[in-house]
Amino acid sequence: MGLTLDTALLGAAVAIVLFAVALLYRVARGPTMEDRVIAINGVGTSTVVVLALLAAALDRPAFLDIAIVYALLNFLASVAISKFIVERGGVL
């Protein structure tokens, strides 16, 4: 790949990392448990995208495998936490 495309992919990865850091504020401040779950899911999704961008920019296809596994774990964790919140009576 060209140097320009690699630089653009790395720049996009840095921008997404900055957005993920901004989401950490919502994780810390809440105010509700649902806000925190959504923010954590956003951070996880951002991590998957960053891993995919790094795989393309650095020509490391193994990062895509890690991204897929991380996406699955992120989804399962979000479902588990949401189920916990519903059973606790926090929603509806």
Side-chain angles (χ1 to χ4, degrees):
M1 248 187 273
L3 183 61
T4 305
L5 183 58
D6 291 344
T7 305
L9 291 173
L10 290 175
V14 169
I16 292 173
V17 167
L18 293 176
F19 289 132
V21 170
L23 280 174
L24 289 177
Y25 173 77
R26 184 55 53 198
V27 172
R29 299 291 287 192
T32 66
M33 186 69 158
E34 292 84 9
D35 292 334
R36 291 183 171 123
V37 170
I38 292 170
I40 288 173
N41 194 11
V43 170
T45 302
S46 299
T47 303
V48 170
V49 173
V50 167
L51 284 171
L53 289 172
L54 289 178
L58 303 176
D59 198 24
R60 302 273 179 152
F63 285 3
L64 288 176
D65 296 335
I66 297 169
I68 290 170
V69 171
Y70 193 84
L72 178 64
L73 290 174
N74 186 37
F75 173 73
L76 291 176
S78 295
V79 169
I81 293 171
S82 297
K83 184 172 172 57
F84 173 75
I85 292 172
V86 168
E87 287 180 357
R88 230 176 93 200
V91 177
L92 304 176

